Amino acid sequence: MTTSLSRIRSLPAARGGDRAESGARGVESAPAHGSPLETEYRPQRPLDLGRTVLYQRRGAGDPTMTVAGSVIWRASRTPDGVATLALRESACGAIRGAAWGPGADWALAQLPALCGAEDDPDDFDAGIHPLIADAHHRTPGLRLSRTDLLFDALASAIFEQKVTGMQAFGAWRRIVTWFGERTPGPTPKPMFAPPTIEGWRGIPSWAWHRAGLEPPQSRTVVAAAQRGESIVRAVSSVTAGEDRERVLTSLPGIGPWTSAETRIRAYGDPDAVSVGDYHLAHEVGYALTGRRVDDDGMLELLASWPGHRQRVIRLIGASGVHEARRGPRLHPEDHRAR
């Protein structure tokens, strides 16, 4: 059933959060939410709300983002505190937003950027390649979303280092549910904001293991959290992608792939390329040339679109052109019982 924003106030509050698996906390009851703050954003360009905003979701079970009917729900930890945001597109194309929690004002103010308002494709030339031109024509509402929440983006990217998406998303779901904070609002299911930077530092080693995250990733998250506030200040003090990359890759365990993934999510970086990805170079090469290439070959192909390489990658994803899988899928190992 479609959930309209006009019905949000009457939805029953989701009950509790099942944290029994972790032993970290008991079931947390839903916080009181009251009436939401509301706003309306009218995009100046075509906007595909789902394709743009749901790029931020980390798997179907992400406790920070879900969809119920026509409403996208997002839980976040803003600089002013936790917030729950509900987004729905009206018949006239306006985006109606409702927010609950101490961070509600911040979440509503950031809503246009989340919907890609700061994404500027004016100097992008899609006509260089017919596949890109066709994908650009068919998906005019594809925008690059940004959250402006650096550490959350960095932590989630670290979770995804050198593991399958299934493993990373499962570990993210468990850790955020166990150690995050339940957010207010009549959400369709219990939703949680990620831990504070201090909270990331305090997660015990046994919890990382039970969540299914490998020691290299968990150690990197904790090490980054030890310098979390200074990382946020340093990255926020620069605006160019290469300067942000320089700051991020100066951290132990953070390479070009993690830096790019962080910048894409936090800042909607239109030029970031996740070099070192297991599949990306193959997909880009196949889409643009009909054959696989390595990272160097991918960068050579993407050089035709300076400043918009991430946009091209997103359009390739939207094109539906993918190389057929030839071998068995990687079977993730589960070490949690050991």
Side-chain angles (χ1 to χ4, degrees):
M1 180 181 294
T2 298
T3 303
S4 68
L5 206 58
S6 62
R7 294 180 55 237
I8 286 177
R9 290 189 183 88
S10 63
L11 290 176
R15 297 182 179 275
D18 183 4
R19 303 190 176 195
E21 182 184 353
S22 73
R25 293 186 185 175
V27 172
E28 182 177 324
S29 60
H33 53 77
S35 298
L37 299 179
E38 297 183 279
T39 192
E40 187 174 86
Y41 162 58
R42 295 183 176 272
Q44 300 302 303
R45 304 175 187 269
L47 172 64
D48 184 327
L49 182 64
R51 194 185 294 273
T52 297
V53 174
L54 289 177
Y55 185 81
Q56 301 287 350
R57 182 166 60 172
R58 314 326 299 168
D62 187 351
T64 72
M65 184 167 277
T66 193
V67 180
S70 61
V71 180
I72 297 174
W73 294 84
R74 173 172 165 79
S76 59
R77 183 175 297 281
T78 80
D80 298 331
V82 299
T84 304
L85 177 67
L87 300 175
R88 177 180 177 269
E89 186 173 8
S90 66
C92 66
I95 307 303
R96 298 181 62 192
W100 295 259
D105 278 316
W106 190 95
L108 291 180
Q110 199 272 337
L111 184 153
L114 184 68
C115 295
E118 298 184 28
D119 178 29
D120 183 5
D122 283 346
D123 62 345
F124 174 59
D125 184 2
I128 293 174
H129 192 285
L131 181 139
I132 302 303
D134 179 67
H136 187 58
H137 175 74
R138 289 189 294 104
T139 57
L142 175 61
R143 307 258 75 83
L144 301 184
S145 170
R146 61 184 289 167
T147 66
D148 293 292
L149 298 171
L150 174 70
F151 199 85
D152 291 351
L154 175 60
S156 67
I158 294 170
F159 271 65
E160 296 172 31
Q161 291 176 341
K162 300 180 181 180
V163 296
T164 66
M166 182 186 301
Q167 289 172 287
F169 297 156
W172 172 258
R173 180 181 69 249
R174 296 180 190 102
I175 289 292
V176 171
T177 302
W178 298 346
F179 295 96
E181 183 175 346
R182 181 78 182 271
T183 60
T187 56
K189 68 176 186 178
M191 297 186 69
F192 297 85
T196 62
I197 291 177
E198 181 180 0
W200 285 114
R201 291 196 290 260
I203 296 174
S205 59
W206 59 263
W208 293 111
H209 178 73
R210 293 191 68 180
L213 196 69
E214 298 296 317
Q217 286 80 28
S218 62
R219 287 195 294 263
T220 300
V221 174
V222 173
Q226 297 290 348
R227 301 171 57 186
E229 290 84 358
S230 62
I231 293 170
V232 172
R233 287 194 299 270
V235 177
S236 300
S237 69
V238 295
T239 57
E242 58 268 26
D243 293 332
R244 288 170 173 160
E245 165 131 338
R246 192 175 304 112
V247 174
L248 289 169
T249 56
S250 69
L251 303 170
I254 307 299
W257 185 92
T258 306
S259 169
E261 290 292 306
T262 301
R263 287 161 23 233
I264 292 165
R265 300 170 196 179
Y267 300 117
D269 190 329
D271 199 45
V273 180
S274 303
V275 174
D277 190 271
Y278 187 75
H279 297 292
L280 184 60
H282 299 163
E283 294 286 354
V284 171
Y286 183 81
L288 298 182
T289 70
R291 59 181 177 82
R292 287 188 169 199
V293 298
D294 59 13
D295 280 337
D296 289 339
M298 173 180 66
L299 293 175
E300 184 177 348
L301 291 171
L302 294 175
S304 298
W305 294 276
H308 294 280
R309 296 177 299 174
Q310 176 58 209
R311 193 181 315 282
V312 171
I313 291 168
R314 293 287 298 281
L315 287 169
I316 289 173
S319 73
V321 175
H322 302 288
E323 182 183 21
R325 302 294 186 192
R326 292 188 174 87
R329 292 182 179 272
L330 177 66
H331 180 70
E333 295 186 50
D334 190 342
H335 300 287
R336 287 180 292 162
R338 298 179 183 175

